[in-house]
Amino acid sequence: MSFEPRILGFLCNWCSYAGADLAGVSRIQYPPNIRVIRVMCSGRVDPEFIFKALKLGIDGVIITGCHPGDCHYIEGNYEAVKKFELVQKLLSKLNMEKRIRLEWVSASEGNRFAEVITDFTNQIKELGPSPLSGKDLDMELMEKLEALEMAAESYRLRALVGRERKITEQENVYGEKYPKEKFDNLFDAAINNEYIRNRILLSLEKNPKSVKDLATQLNIDSKEILNHILVLKGRNQVAMEDIIENQPIYLNVMER
Amino acid sequence: MTEKQDEDIRIGIFVCHCGTNIGGFVDCEQLAEYATTLPNVAHSEHNLYTCSETGLAAIRNAVKEHNLNRVVVASCTPRTHEPLFRDCVQEVGLNPYLFNFVNIRDQCTWVHMKETDAAFEKAKDLIKMGSAKAAKLEALERIVVDINPIALIIGGGISGMNTAISLSKQGFKTHLVEKEDKLGGRLKSLYKLFPNDQEASAFLEDMTKKVEASKNLTVYTSSKIKSIEGFIGNYNVEIEQNGDIISLNVGAIIVAVGASVFEPTNLFGYDGEKSITQLELENKLKNNEVDANNIVMIQCVGARNEERVYCSSICCMTALKNALIIKEFNPDAHVTILFRDIYTPGIQYEQYFKKARKAGVLFIKYTLEKLPLVDKNEIKVFNEYLGEEILIPYDLLVLSTPLIANNDNSDLAQMLKVPLEENNFFLEAHVKLRPIDFATDGIYICGSAKWPVDITESTTQGLAAASRASRILSHETIEVESSTAYLPEWNKSLCKGCEVCITICPYNAIIKNEDDEIEIIQALCKGCGTCGSTCTKHAIEIKHFNNEQIMAEIIAFGGKIIE
Ligand code: FES
C-alpha cells in the first residue's frame, strides 16, 4: 500500500477556514489526508502544538492564515510568522523543517486552499513517513525533538520571539532600529544554546554525568559543554552532585 | 494546572446526513455507531437534517433523556450553523459554549467525493477530535456590550441612500458619508432607467429630497473615511472633510461604496468620440447629441475574459435600453448589438429583449476567440451562425464595459477588517445564508460594492442592509463572543511580568494594573489568542481555545503522547 501521510492543519477562522469551506462549496477535490483544527487566528498556534503533533508521529503540520495585511486581528499572522520561523529553525537541526508549512489563504481562495493542501500532501509523501511514526521509535531522535521542544518553551526563546517585531521593526527613542541581521545572529545563537542546554538537561535527568561524559555522548566540545553547565547552574537547573576522580558530576535538579 | 472540578462528562454526538450531501458519501449510521466507542460519549445518533426542527428537537430530547452536558454536531460548518446549535442547547439549559461543531461536509464529503473510504476515515478522526475537545469545553459567561444606536453608511449612491432613509425613518441617528461632492453615485451619469424608462435625474432628485427631509440623517459629502476602530455597537470612526477631521461613534456600519466603470483604453478603437462607452452614450442621449445612423454596440468589453472572469450583469440591459431609446428618437437608425450571450433574467427584462428585436435591433453573436475588428468606418465580425465574416459600417461605436471594484476598496477593507473577493469586490459572510452581513458583527454590505447590480437590486439590498443593521441598533446591549484571553487566578503566580503580551496585543487590551499585575480587559479583547501562544510562561489562557482543548484535539488525532 502506498504511504498515506497523516497531516494536521491549523486554520484561522476568518480567512483560511472560510477558504476551505469555499473549496467544499465549489466541490474542489484535494487529498483526504488532512485533519483540521480551527483556531481564531494563525497567531494562536503555539510552537508547542507543532512539537506535540510531531512527537506523536504526525507526518506534517500546516498552518494557514489570512494574507499579510488581512488578518482579522490586524497583525496576528505576522506573529504567526515569527513563531513559525522559530520552529522551522529548531526543526532544521533534525532535518525535519520540511514537515511544517505556513501559507496564506483568503476566504475567496477555495482553489488556492485545495492547491496548497495538495502540494503539501505531495511534499510529505515524498519525504516519507515521519521518523517518529510506526512501532520502532528512534528514541535518540525523540530525545532530540524533546530538547527542541523544551528550547521552544524556554523563557528566553519565547521572549525573543515575542519581542522580535518590536525590536527589529520599531524605532527606539533615538529613532534607530535594531538591525535585522544582528538580531538574527543573536537569535540563532540563542536557539543553538537553548537546544544544547536542554539536551544536557535531558541527559542529566537520566543519570548524573561529568562534562566529559556529556561531551562524548552529545558529540560536542567539552569546553562548550562546560560553559552551558555554568549557565544552567546559574539558573539553578543543574547542581554538582559529586566529584569522582577529580571530575565534578552534575545532576538535573529541575522540577518537572 | 487548571483547577476545575471534576465533573461527569456526558457527550452527545449528532451526525447529520445533510440529505445526501454527507449521507450520500459516508455511512452516517456507522459514524454514529463509531461515536459511541469514544470516551465520555453517552449518546449518539444520526439525523437526516440535524438543523431541521426535527433534528433540533432530537438534540433537545437527547440532552434531557440522557442527561447530556456536551453536544457535538458533525455536519456542515460552524461559520453558518454554530449560532443555531448554540441556541438550541441553550434552550435546554446548557451553556452555549458546551457545544462543539465538527465539519464533515464542506471540509470532508464535498472535497473527497471520489474517495469515500478515505472520507469516512477522515470523518471518524474529525468526530474523535471534536469529541475530545468537547470533553474539555467549559461553560462561559457571555460578555455584554452597550450598543450606540447610531448608523454609519459609507457611500451615498442609490443603495446607501436607501439604507440611510430607511434607518433614519426608523428613528436611528444616521451618518451618510460620500466621497464625491454630490449624492447619487453612478446614478448621476445615467439618462433613463430600465425597466420603466424613468428619467434618472428625476429619480435621483426624488431620492435626494427624501434624504434632505430625513430628520436624523447627516450627510457628509466630499468626505473620506480615515480610520475605523472598535467593535459591534461601538465603532470609532474618523472622517476627513475638506481637511477637517470629524470623529463619530457609531453602533453599526453599512458598506455601500458601489463600483467604478471600466475604461476600455486601447480596446476597440476607444477614443471617447466615435468609439465611446455606454456611460458616455447616456450623456450624449441626455443632451440630445446622438446624430449617428449606424450604431454598433459591443458587449462584454473587458469582461468575462481571463482578466475579469465575471459577468457585470447590468450591461445587457443597459445596451437594450439605449438601443431602444435610439430607435425611438430615430426609427431609421441601424442599431446592431454584437454580443457573446444575452442576459435578461425575469419577465420584464426578457420583454425588453423582445421589444428590441421587434424594433429592428440586430443581434450578432461573436466569440472570445474571434473578437470583432474595428476599422475606421467598418467593423469586421465573424458571424457564428453564417460561419463567415461580415462587415458592418458604423458611425458610432458603443462599448459595454463592466463595473469594476473601486481601487480604494482594499484600504477600506483593511480598516474594517473584512475580506475582499478575488476581483476586489467586498465578500459577504455567506452567499446564501448571510448575503447582507460580513462575518464581522455589526458591519453590513449592500449594492455594487459586493457585485455589479442594477437599481432595483441596489434598492432591495439597501433596504435589506437597513433592516439587518436595525436588528442590532434597536437593542440597548448585545451579547458578544466570550472566547477571550484571560489570566486565571491560579496562573497569576506564573507571570514573570515580562510584558511581552502587552507589546503584541493589537487592541491594547492588556495592561498592568495598579497592583502591578497583568490584566486583560475583556470588552477590548477580541480573542485572537496570540497572547496565549506568546506568553513566555504559559500563564495566559484563551477561553474556548485553550491549550488543553487544542492539545486534546491533537492527541485525539495523533494517538498517545510518548513522554
Ligand atoms: S485571523 Fe486569519 S491570520 Fe489572523
Side-chain angles (χ1 to χ4, degrees), chain B residues 16-148:
Chain B
C16 176
H17 288 246
C18 193
T20 55
N21 284 302
I22 297 168
F25 300 93
V26 293
D27 187 332
C28 294
E29 190 178 341
Q30 269 194 49
L31 284 178
E33 220 163 87
Y34 165 75
T36 54
T37 66
L38 297 170
N40 301 310
V41 173
H43 169 77
S44 86
E45 62 180 271
H46 55 108
N47 325 93
L48 188 55
Y49 288 101
T50 313
C51 65
S52 68
E53 201 22 67
T54 327
L56 297 175
I59 295 179
R60 289 190 292 256
N61 288 339
V63 169
K64 281 185 252 168
E65 193 177 322
H66 302 280
N67 216 356
L68 304 176
N69 50 22
R70 301 287 189 284
V71 170
V72 174
V73 172
S75 61
C76 47
T77 166
R79 292 178 54 257
T80 55
H81 281 67
E82 189 171 65
L84 178 77
F85 292 120
R86 278 186 172 174
D87 286 350
C88 168
V89 302
Q90 198 166 19
E91 279 169 40
V92 271
L94 275 191
N95 183 287
Y97 288 88
L98 298 177
F99 165 79
N100 196 27
F101 214 109
V102 176
N103 184 331
I104 58 168
R105 188 190 72 179
D106 300 41
Q107 296 183 15
C108 189
T109 55
W110 274 355
V111 288
H112 313 308
M113 298 172 108
K114 294 189 194 92
E115 297 170 271
T116 48
D117 289 346
F120 180 70
E121 289 307 314
K122 178 169 174 177
K124 271 165 67 181
D125 279 346
L126 292 173
I127 290 172
K128 189 177 174 196
M129 292 160 76
S131 170
K133 175 166 180 179
K136 303 280 180 195
L137 288 176
E138 289 167 36
L140 299 182
E141 238 172 76
R142 293 265 187 157
I143 297 172
V144 175
V145 297
D146 292 336
I147 298 289
N148 187 1

Side-chain angles (χ1 to χ4, degrees), chain A residues 12-16 40-43 64-66 70-73 76-77 104:
Chain A
C12 89
N13 181 59
W14 300 94
C15 284
S16 301
M40 291 317 269
C41 175
S42 61
T64 59
C66 310
D70 290 350
C71 170
H72 187 77
Y73 306 100
N77 48 2
W104 310 133

Side-chain angles (χ1 to χ4, degrees), chain A residues 21 29 35 43-44 56 158, chain B residues 77 113 125 533 535 547 560:
Chain A
D21 279 352
Q29 307 294 299
R35 310 289 183 262
R44 172 69 187 106
L56 288 168
R158 279 180 84 94
Chain B
T77 166
M113 298 172 108
D125 279 346
S533 57
C535 176
N547 278 25
K560 273 243 153 350

Side-chain angles (χ1 to χ4, degrees), chain B residues 176-181 218-226 238-247:
Chain B
L176 177 59
V177 175
E178 165 60 45
K179 66 179 167 191
E180 288 176 24
D181 59 351
T218 320
V219 178
Y220 305 84
T221 48
S222 309
S223 298
K224 273 202 77 170
I225 304 289
K226 292 302 284 181
E238 275 186 353
I239 59 179
E240 189 188 317
Q241 190 181 41
N242 308 320
D244 294 335
I245 299 285
I246 303 165
S247 303

